[in-house]
Amino acid sequence: MQAYPLTSLATVLLAVLMIFTVLQVARARRKSGIAPPAMTGDPLLERALRAQMNTLEGVAIFLPLLWLLAIWWTDQIAAICGLLWCVLRLWYALAYVKAARQRILPFALSFTLINLSVIGVLAGIIRHWF
């Protein structure tokens, strides 16, 4: 069995990122006084919820790509991509909660990294065939 310690670490960082977004929502709920299950009524809460859900949606796409990069390329390449994606999505979450317009650049960069990861995985698979 091949070990992927760096990709494993990047996966843990993804989990920590998700925990951070959960805590952002909890802080926004406390600040606004809006208890679950309510999801609207305060712009800060709404932005925190959107940042959390958008990040969760991104993790669902990126996590399999991260591991496929580790398998088809190297643990180091996957880990670098994972770390970069975590940094971009942290920037995204912080920016979105502050002001929705500020999320555009980190979103675009993290989405570009997802697309490059798809290309990288496909290239790794094709490289294996030839």
Side-chain angles (χ1 to χ4, degrees), residues 74-110:
T74 68
D75 185 40
Q76 293 83 0
I77 289 172
I80 289 166
C81 289
L83 177 61
L84 182 56
W85 196 83
C86 284
V87 168
L88 291 170
R89 290 311 289 206
L90 176 61
W91 177 17
Y92 171 86
L94 292 170
Y96 203 158
V97 169
K98 187 173 180 182
R101 288 184 191 209
Q102 292 184 14
R103 78 190 194 291
I104 295 169
L105 180 59
F107 168 78
L109 294 172
S110 64

Side-chain angles (χ1 to χ4, degrees), residues 6-86:
L6 298 174
T7 305
S8 297
L9 182 59
T11 301
V12 171
L13 289 175
L14 286 172
V16 169
L17 174 64
M18 290 311 308
I19 292 166
F20 174 77
T21 64
V22 168
L23 294 175
Q24 272 192 308
V25 171
R27 278 191 294 272
R29 282 194 182 281
R30 270 195 312 273
K31 223 176 188 182
S32 68
I34 298 173
M39 304 280 281
T40 61
D42 180 69
L44 174 66
L45 174 61
E46 292 168 9
R47 289 191 309 270
L49 284 163
R50 287 308 316 147
Q52 178 192 26
M53 292 311 300
N54 291 350
T55 302
L56 181 59
E57 292 164 358
V59 167
I61 297 167
F62 185 71
L63 187 58
L65 293 170
L66 176 72
W67 281 93
L68 289 169
L69 282 170
I71 292 166
W72 292 107
W73 290 97
T74 68
D75 185 40
Q76 293 83 0
I77 289 172
I80 289 166
C81 289
L83 177 61
L84 182 56
W85 196 83
C86 284

